[in-house]
Amino acid sequence: MRHGEVHNPEGVLYGRRPDFHLSELGRRMADRVAEHLSGRDIRYVVASPLERAQETAAPVAAAHGLDVAVDERLIEAANVFEGKTFGVGDGALRRPANWKYLTNPFRPSWGEPYAEQAERMKAALRAARDGAVGHEAVCVSHQLPIWIARCSVEGRRLWHDPRRRQCTLASLTSFTFQGDEIVSVAYTEPALDLVPEKLRAGAKPVKGSVGA
């Protein structure tokens, strides 16, 4: 699960910075997903250590009488632009001070390598599977690591256009294991009607995705 909307009035890239909490709307998103999952056989809930992920996980855990575990491997990707405004169309690519970080979009050169994100996320998924053997687990993480994990599992290239990620706020990307192998991936958006139109990342269908 991706966390809900964050209170971020200045529009900074908060990344791994502390003290970024869910907005009121984000809390409604978390409650919506908890309601959506209330009938599921969930025995383990785990989240990134960042506040927004912990707060998103709390209603899901409470609905199943569970505590929220912490797994550092679910954390947001590291990024040198944390604390700054850096987004598509804001002119950041024209700033000379940023050019040294933009030399290799395939790695990427501005942050944690995609391959490393994929490996740590898949390790976190295996740990969650082990924490809920024979049942279901919920992991709360962040858009980029979730999308990279999905790309890796589905055999997609890891470098991509951020505007094409199918991982909107409070969405669920579900990985089904058979033994040690992930055999299917599904994607759902239980809180989509609460997500502002401009924040609906991945609105265009992704070829080969499985919906439920």
Side-chain angles (χ1 to χ4, degrees), residues 28-79:
R28 287 171 56 200
M29 292 176 181
D31 288 341
R32 170 70 66 79
V33 178
E35 180 181 359
H36 175 77
L37 295 174
S38 61
R40 306 292 300 200
D41 185 24
I42 294 168
R43 301 294 180 90
Y44 186 69
V45 178
V46 61
S48 153
L50 297 174
E51 291 94 340
R52 58 191 183 272
Q54 292 286 312
E55 291 164 2
T56 299
V60 177
H64 292 85
L66 302 169
D67 294 325
V68 179
V70 179
D71 191 330
E72 293 279 349
R73 293 170 294 193
L74 295 172
I75 200 167
E76 177 64 281
N79 193 309

Side-chain angles (χ1 to χ4, degrees), residues 13-136:
L13 182 67
Y14 36 76
R16 293 181 175 182
R17 292 192 163 208
D19 299 323
F20 281 90
H21 299 267
L22 292 184
S23 65
E24 181 58 36
L25 178 58
R27 293 182 184 280
R28 287 171 56 200
M29 292 176 181
D31 288 341
R32 170 70 66 79
V33 178
E35 180 181 359
H36 175 77
L37 295 174
S38 61
R40 306 292 300 200
D41 185 24
I42 294 168
R43 301 294 180 90
Y44 186 69
V45 178
V46 61
S48 153
L50 297 174
E51 291 94 340
R52 58 191 183 272
Q54 292 286 312
E55 291 164 2
T56 299
V60 177
H64 292 85
L66 302 169
D67 294 325
V68 179
V70 179
D71 191 330
E72 293 279 349
R73 293 170 294 193
L74 295 172
I75 200 167
E76 177 64 281
N79 193 309
V80 298
F81 297 112
E82 282 183 14
K84 302 177 182 178
T85 56
F86 189 94
V88 176
D90 73 350
L93 298 180
R94 295 193 295 272
R95 299 171 194 161
N98 291 336
W99 292 350
K100 63 183 177 181
Y101 300 117
L102 304 173
T103 57
N104 185 356
F106 304 106
R107 186 178 182 268
S109 52
W110 55 82
E112 181 184 8
Y114 292 137
E116 292 181 13
Q117 292 180 53
E119 290 309 307
R120 67 172 169 85
M121 287 293 288
K122 289 190 290 185
L125 290 176
R126 291 191 294 270
R129 174 205 60 190
D130 293 343
V133 175
H135 306 279
E136 294 179 285

Side-chain angles (χ1 to χ4, degrees), residues 192-208:
L192 184 62
D193 62 301
L194 299 178
V195 179
E197 183 67 33
K198 65 180 180 179
L199 298 178
R200 293 185 184 185
K204 297 179 181 179
V206 177
K207 183 178 180 181

